Amino acid sequence: MVFSDILGQDRALGIIGANLEKSHFSGAYIFSGPEGIGKRMTAKIIAGQLNCTGQVSRPCGSCSGCLKIQKEVHPDLQIIQNGQSQIKMEDIRGILRQASFRPYEGAVKVFIIDNAHKLNSEAANSLLKILEEPPRDVLIILITHKPQNIIKTVLSRCKEIKFSPLIRAQLENVLIKNYALDKAAAHFLAYYAEGRIGLALRLKDTPLLREKNKIFDSFILSSKPLDHSIMNQTKEQLQVCLNILASWFRDIYLLKCGLPDQETIHLDRHSDLLKLIPRFSFKQLDEIMATLSESSWYLDKNLNSKLILHNLGVQLWKA
Ligand SMILES: [Zn+2]
């Protein structure tokens, strides 16, 4: 992994590059921006650059330092990744202990805290100690898509670098050129993922593209009440189904407002979308989208979203 693998982040990489050149990359940083756009990968490449032992260009991507960083087994790299769980005091205690030692193999000890908005208040407060006076050979990178959920005292001690999603048309081209996707799949993934390359790449090997048309046919174009196969899905499948439906109605709504065809998520079903425009009023579309987002919330909280989905079906057939 090298910096040129990170696409569409010229501004963020420019700042990082300038700091690295002046050997100013130490202390505490916060990488913010939507999920799946390369923040974590960039943090690892920086760790690679700082600990690379290659002689020509850094990170070389092939020395033992680079390879260990890539596999996340380098003794001078520690990544805290608790997924959706809280980051607790014990996690931070480990960082404080490790940071007091000199690097073992490389030049800089790098600590990456993924989903840093999950720091609980105890953990955030104990992190302050090291953020106030980080040792010279220590770099701490906080990664978050919700910086507003991080306490101000932590934020103010970190230099923030903002990452942004790719322009959707740009991501569509990347998916066609670099990943050999056909135009319909690339367009759908780029627009559905809202320019987040990580999400688009994760979805490209799933049956989502096929499924979304099945959902469209059975849920919107069908003239009979809800297909039971939709009602009997797992929580995750239902969540995907709700997201897909929301994206359909987003398209119908925006086409009704005059959005250029090229900007629709479901360009491959453009003619079906056009047919649906006169069927729904703006008020109905507002209600449907509110129901969808409510259902998604209920589903997330493990409440009875099937009932809501059923009501949504009724709402649609009335239309
Ligand atoms: Zn290297």
Side-chain angles (χ1 to χ4, degrees):
M1 283 181 318
V2 288
F3 284 115
S4 57
D5 291 330
I6 306 286
L7 301 168
Q9 301 300 340
D10 299 350
R11 194 187 149 273
L13 294 187
I15 300 170
I16 290 168
N19 276 276
L20 282 168
E21 232 164 70
K22 291 184 213 142
S23 309
H24 279 169
F25 223 97
S26 60
Y29 284 80
I30 182 156
F31 290 0
S32 63
E35 287 179 279
I37 56 172
K39 301 187 296 296
R40 190 170 178 280
M41 203 200 251
T42 304
K44 274 176 70 179
I45 297 173
I46 294 168
Q49 165 129 1
L50 295 170
N51 289 300
C52 172
T53 52
Q55 300 303 320
V56 187
S57 69
R58 287 182 189 178
C60 69
S62 55
C63 71
S64 96
C66 283
L67 293 176
K68 283 182 183 175
I69 296 270
Q70 208 161 330
K71 290 187 198 144
E72 301 180 9
V73 294
H74 196 291
D76 296 316
L77 171 71
Q78 193 184 334
I79 303 181
I80 299 209
Q81 41 198 346
N82 290 7
Q84 288 314 304
S85 313
Q86 274 197 343
I87 301 172
K88 296 192 179 125
M89 182 80 165
E90 309 76 283
D91 301 308
I92 303 306
R93 240 183 238 137
I95 293 187
L96 298 179
R97 197 170 46 243
Q98 287 295 324
S100 62
F101 299 120
R102 303 270 324 179
Y104 297 107
E105 263 184 48
V108 178
K109 271 189 171 293
V110 181
F111 300 95
I112 299 174
I113 305 180
D114 206 355
N115 280 333
H117 50 274
K118 291 282 173 187
L119 280 161
N120 71 15
S121 59
E122 243 188 337
N125 279 316
S126 68
L127 186 66
L128 280 177
K129 286 179 209 146
I130 190 165
L131 296 181
E132 269 155 17
E133 258 182 281
R136 263 185 72 83
D137 44 17
V138 163
L139 169 66
I140 300 166
I141 302 177
L142 275 61
I143 292 175
T144 183
H145 55 277
K146 289 182 182 164
Q148 69 278 15
N149 292 6
I150 299 179
I151 58 169
K152 288 211 168 63
T153 38
V154 166
L155 282 182
S156 65
R157 282 165 179 80
C158 299
K159 283 159 259 181
E160 185 174 10
I161 297 183
K162 290 184 179 158
F163 286 66
S164 358
L166 263 79
I167 294 166
R168 292 160 200 208
Q170 195 183 353
L171 177 56
E172 180 180 331
N173 282 333
V174 168
L175 294 174
I176 293 172
K177 273 198 201 139
N178 301 11
Y179 297 91
L181 260 67
D182 64 50
K183 174 138 175 71
H187 181 92
F188 166 69
L189 288 173
Y191 282 70
Y192 183 71
E194 297 176 333
R196 289 171 291 174
I197 188 167
L199 178 60
L201 293 180
R202 211 163 55 237
L203 294 175
K204 86 175 170 56
D205 298 320
T206 68
L208 185 68
L209 191 67
R210 206 174 56 239
E211 288 296 313
K212 68 117 181 158
N213 283 324
K214 241 167 71 187
I215 294 169
F216 192 53
D217 294 332
S218 69
F219 209 102
I220 304 179
L221 294 183
S222 155
S223 55
K224 57 180 192 300
L226 266 190
D227 181 344
H228 280 279
S229 64
I230 287 191
M231 302 297 278
N232 294 330
Q233 295 189 76
T234 63
K235 178 178 167 179
E236 285 70 31
Q237 288 169 324
L238 271 177
Q239 198 62 271
V240 171
C241 176
L242 291 174
N243 288 341
I244 289 284
L245 284 171
S247 67
W248 283 115
F249 286 105
R250 169 245 181 227
D251 272 0
I252 297 171
Y253 193 101
L254 292 177
L255 280 172
K256 212 172 161 70
C257 293
L259 178 85
D261 300 347
Q262 198 53 36
E263 293 297 312
T264 51
I265 298 173
H266 301 279
L267 188 60
D268 59 330
R269 298 294 295 263
H270 181 247
S271 58
D272 286 318
L273 289 168
L274 289 183
K275 273 186 235 156
L276 288 169
I277 291 178
R279 188 169 138 190
F280 299 101
S281 67
F282 279 117
K283 185 166 171 285
Q284 279 170 321
L285 289 169
D286 277 337
E287 282 166 9
I288 291 168
M289 288 196 281
T291 308
L292 283 168
S293 99
E294 225 171 77
S295 310
S296 175
W297 187 87
Y298 278 110
L299 186 62
D300 206 38
K301 299 279 177 272
N302 289 317
L303 299 171
N304 191 354
S305 64
K306 286 187 185 173
L307 182 67
I308 290 203
L309 208 57
H310 176 78
N311 293 343
L312 175 72
V314 174
Q315 207 174 349
L316 288 179
W317 277 282
K318 265 199 312 199

